[in-house]
């Protein structure tokens, strides 16, 4: 953050304000961890804060501090619209285009509040009065930690705030194994543990609460795993019928795409998940090294993200989507060929 940004944030928060905090649609651990942490901090400073998620988030995050106070826009749109319209300040966290807020796009676009963006994805939009964007950061939660430092409130990080920030950093770094995890990240994590984050219980709450159906679905996904010979690419498919057969719930496929990337010699992995309700194929992409799945997703599948982790969608059928995906790969043979 620049000194000008820090001064403006302090000015915006210098007395009690009506504040709305928003994560992206389909919020993950980083989105919920960062927004919950900021909510707890700002309420502790006397502000009136509402955290509004565009839609529901996975069950494995529903143990987090203050999560029961999260408003779900899809369920309470009118109430949420009133809070958005009345807000003095709106924070958007872990996304950088208002379209990523789903059905909240229009009310956010029409809001009169001052916007503050905190995000680590590439190519941010310019809707915010204060934009704190850093694509080198491993997570928005780490950015919120530094944001809190920059506005002089590091001493206000409670065990609950530390827990939320730790959760987001842990999930967005693949338990600290991704390239974006730096020595600075580990120093932040150490401080969060010192401030009360229980790393063992956080890990257990996120990763050791799988349902029987979820593990059966993982088995199905692994059975569907395919390798594109000669192009160091692996992909997984899951149809709506397969999801239904294993009692799929939001979040059940979290991390499945990484199993393709764990294969020896594979540098590009994808998972294609059918969503009959929205009539799309949801796509998650992962890579190793310098192969940019962000560019790949933006160019071919209406998506984006980071260099090594991105997402997108397809309006084609599952088979047509796979055919399109495979047909594109030879274009990248310099990066992918053995």
């Amino acid at each position: 953050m620049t000194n000008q940004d820090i001064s403006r944030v302090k000015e915006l928060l210098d007395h009690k304000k009506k504040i709305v905090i928003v994560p992206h649609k389909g919020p993950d651990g980083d989105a919920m961890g960062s927004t919950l942490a900021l909510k707890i901090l700002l309420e502790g400073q006397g502000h009136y804060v509402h955290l509004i998620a565009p839609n529901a988030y996975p069950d494995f995050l529903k143990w987090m501090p203050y999560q029961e106070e999260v408003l779900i826009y899809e369920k309470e749109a009118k109430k949420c619209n009133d809070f958005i319209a009345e807000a003095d300040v709106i924070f958007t966290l872990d996304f950088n285009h208002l379209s990523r807020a789903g059905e909240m796009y229009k009310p956010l676009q029409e809001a009169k509040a001052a916007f503050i963006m905190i995000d680590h994805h590439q190519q941010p939009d310019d809707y915010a009065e204060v934009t704190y964007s850093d694509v080198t950061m491993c997570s928005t939660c780490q950015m919120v930690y530094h944001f809190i430092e920059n506005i002089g409130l590091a001493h206000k990080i409670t065990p609950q705030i530390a827990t939320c920030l730790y959760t987001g950093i842990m999930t967005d770094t693949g338990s600290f194994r991704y390239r974006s995890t730096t020595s600075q990240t580990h120093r932040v994590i150490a401080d969060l543990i010192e401030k009360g984050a229980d790393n063992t219980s956080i890990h257990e709450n996120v990763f050791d609460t799988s349902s029987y159906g979820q593990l059966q679905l993982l088995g199905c996904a692994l059975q569907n795993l395919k390798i594109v010979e000669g192009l160091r690419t692996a992909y997984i498919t899951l149809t709506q019928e397969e999801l239904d057969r294993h009692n799929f719930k939001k979040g059940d496929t979290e991390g499945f795409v990484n199993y393709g990337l764990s294969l020896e010699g594979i540098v590009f992995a994808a998972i294609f998940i059918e969503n009959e309700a929205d009539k799309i194929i949801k796509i998650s992409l992962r890579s190793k090294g310098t192969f940019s799945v962000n560019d790949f997703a933006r160019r071919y599948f209406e998506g984006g993200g980071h260099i090594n982790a991105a997402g997108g969608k397809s309006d084609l059928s599952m088979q047509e989507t796979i055919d399109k995906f495979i047909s594109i790969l030879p274009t990248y043979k310099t990066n992918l060929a053995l």
Side-chain angles (χ1 to χ4, degrees):
M1 295 179 70
T2 66
N3 290 333
Q4 183 178 351
D5 287 339
I6 294 168
S7 296
R8 181 55 179 150
V9 171
K10 288 181 176 180
E11 182 183 343
L12 287 170
L13 301 177
D14 66 354
H15 60 278
K16 291 183 180 180
K17 295 288 181 67
K18 294 179 180 178
I19 296 174
V20 167
I21 305 174
V22 184
H24 56 75
K25 184 177 181 180
D28 55 9
D30 191 28
M32 294 311 302
S34 58
T35 52
L36 283 166
L38 189 60
K39 171 182 167 64
I40 298 167
L41 178 87
L42 294 175
E43 285 184 337
Q45 298 304 109
H47 299 287
Y48 306 101
V49 185
H50 294 287
L51 199 175
I52 305 174
N55 60 346
Y57 48 94
D59 286 348
F60 66 79
L61 298 174
K62 291 183 178 176
W63 58 272
M64 296 176 70
Y66 290 78
Q67 68 83 29
E68 68 278 0
E69 297 183 8
V70 176
L71 296 170
I72 305 299
Y73 186 84
E74 286 185 346
K75 295 180 179 179
E76 301 181 272
K78 185 181 184 306
K79 180 194 291 188
C80 294
N81 285 338
D82 289 342
F83 289 139
I84 292 169
E86 295 168 1
D88 301 306
V89 180
I90 296 177
F91 283 86
T92 61
L93 270 59
D94 204 34
F95 69 101
N96 57 26
H97 293 266
L98 292 181
S99 60
R100 291 282 284 117
E103 293 180 6
M104 293 179 67
Y105 173 75
K106 186 175 180 182
L108 288 173
Q109 193 177 45
E110 294 173 351
K112 305 303 182 186
F115 278 79
I116 299 174
M117 177 208 300
I118 304 176
D119 179 67
H120 66 137
H121 296 88
Q122 296 184 354
Q123 298 172 276
D125 209 346
D126 60 357
Y127 62 82
E129 182 172 337
V130 176
T131 296
Y132 176 24
S133 173
D134 189 342
V135 300
T136 68
M137 286 282 181
C138 69
S139 62
T140 298
C141 275
Q142 183 174 332
M143 294 184 70
V144 169
Y145 175 92
H146 295 307
F147 174 85
I148 294 170
E149 280 188 319
N150 287 332
I151 62 174
L153 294 176
H155 62 290
K156 297 292 186 179
I157 295 179
T158 64
Q160 291 83 8
I161 293 171
T163 294
C164 293
L165 294 179
Y166 186 106
T167 301
I169 296 172
M170 179 188 72
T171 54
D172 237 37
T173 59
S175 296
F176 317 110
R177 76 178 184 271
Y178 296 156
R179 187 181 299 274
S180 58
T181 306
T182 63
S183 58
Q184 184 183 45
T185 303
H186 285 291
R187 284 191 287 270
V188 169
I189 285 296
D191 188 52
L192 293 176
I193 292 173
E194 289 176 357
K195 285 181 164 62
D198 185 335
N199 54 304
T200 299
S201 66
I202 292 170
H203 191 282
E204 289 174 350
N205 281 325
V206 172
F207 296 115
D208 297 341
T209 56
S210 299
S211 67
Y212 178 79
Q214 183 180 6
L215 293 182
Q216 292 293 302
L217 183 61
L218 173 59
C220 177
L222 294 178
Q223 282 192 326
N224 294 345
L225 176 65
K226 300 285 192 299
I227 294 175
V228 182
E229 297 295 339
L231 289 171
R232 295 194 290 177
T233 298
Y235 67 90
I236 292 169
T237 60
L238 284 170
T239 66
Q240 187 68 61
E241 186 277 328
E242 289 168 329
L243 297 175
D244 293 342
R245 183 168 11 115
H246 296 98
N247 302 309
F248 170 77
K249 299 190 299 297
K250 182 179 289 292
D252 278 356
T253 58
E254 188 78 21
F256 281 15
V257 64
N258 295 318
Y259 283 90
L261 204 60
S262 71
L263 288 166
E264 184 178 3
I266 297 298
V267 299
F268 184 23
I271 187 168
F272 302 90
I273 302 173
E274 187 174 28
N275 184 325
E276 285 187 348
D278 294 337
K279 297 181 179 179
I280 63 168
I281 306 297
K282 182 182 175 182
I283 305 168
S284 291
L285 306 171
R286 299 291 185 271
S287 68
K288 294 177 182 176
T290 60
F291 183 75
S292 176
V293 290
N294 172 62
D295 293 341
F296 189 93
R298 285 182 181 275
R299 182 172 297 183
Y300 299 108
F301 291 107
E302 301 179 48
H306 305 286
I307 291 176
N308 298 122
K313 70 180 183 71
S314 169
D315 298 320
L316 303 173
S317 69
M318 177 68 81
Q319 189 57 56
E320 289 171 330
T321 299
I322 298 304
D323 290 344
K324 176 181 176 180
F325 175 74
I326 292 174
S327 72
I328 294 166
L329 294 178
T331 307
Y332 295 89
K333 60 183 179 181
T334 302
N335 306 88
L336 299 175
L338 292 169

